[in-house]
Amino acid sequence: MRRTARLLTGTALAVGTAALAAAPAYGSATAARPLRAPTGTLEVYPSTAIPGGQVTVNTAACGDKSGATGDAGAVGAGVFTLAPTTHQGEAIGQFQVPPSAQPGTYEIVAKCAEGSAQVVGDLVVALGAAHEQVQPRGSLKTGVGGALGPDPVQTAAGVTALAVAAAGGTWLLHRRARGDGI
């Protein structure tokens, strides 16, 4: 009993120590995460879109006053412009996912107007919006059904099979009880 208690206490202390050691590392990584796009990335909003949906992309890789040319040809949307903004030196642009776009992951590219910087982001095209829930309709097809099922012939066959099985079982038990041997 005492040995088990020591083992459990030691395990609990080890897990607690590991959790405390990991907590500052997790907290510092969260605190260090920037609120805007770090230089060299292309952010895609929403990251999952449906065919026909509007997508916005932005990057801070091109500098404070430089725009970019975006290429969404992989998804079939073609070329679009990213215009410079005053918001933290970002360039922002939009394009529409074609209604004929197939589900999958597509690479969106932006090339800065000044310099040779190029940034890439991913767009996922889905058949339906991620937040939509599909509600089931109708009944489940799980077999013959109950006594009041849709097919009275199958119901009668099932009842007959159960009656024959019950009668046969009763007959075998009666023979065994009399000692006739089975």
Side-chain angles (χ1 to χ4, degrees):
M1 175 85 171
R2 202 174 244 184
R3 184 175 181 185
T4 304
R6 284 184 186 169
L7 181 63
L8 291 175
T9 303
T11 303
L13 286 173
V15 169
T17 303
L20 287 175
Y26 176 76
S28 65
T30 303
R33 187 178 301 142
L35 296 176
R36 65 181 181 89
T39 303
T41 64
L42 183 69
E43 291 190 1
V44 180
Y45 298 107
S47 61
T48 301
I50 58 173
Q54 190 77 14
V55 177
T56 302
V57 296
N58 67 332
T59 184
C62 297
D64 290 342
K65 297 182 179 158
S66 177
T69 301
D71 182 9
V75 73
V79 178
F80 61 97
T81 303
L82 283 83
T85 66
T86 57
H87 179 69
Q88 299 178 352
E90 292 184 345
I92 297 177
Q94 292 184 331
F95 66 91
Q96 183 175 5
V97 177
S100 61
Q102 296 297 312
T105 302
Y106 297 92
E107 185 176 80
I108 310 300
V109 179
K111 295 179 184 175
C112 296
E114 295 177 10
S116 61
Q118 176 176 315
V119 289
V120 178
D122 286 335
L123 171 68
V124 177
V125 176
L127 288 179
H131 63 280
E132 288 181 10
Q133 297 262 337
V134 177
Q135 298 297 325
R137 294 186 198 131
S139 62
L140 297 175
K141 305 297 182 200
T142 59
V144 175
L148 301 174
D151 189 0
V153 173
Q154 287 182 346
T155 302
V159 169
T160 303
L162 286 174
V164 168
T170 303
W171 178 72
L172 285 173
L173 287 174
H174 181 68
R175 280 189 63 188
R176 188 174 194 183
R178 284 192 338 191
D180 291 344
I182 296 178

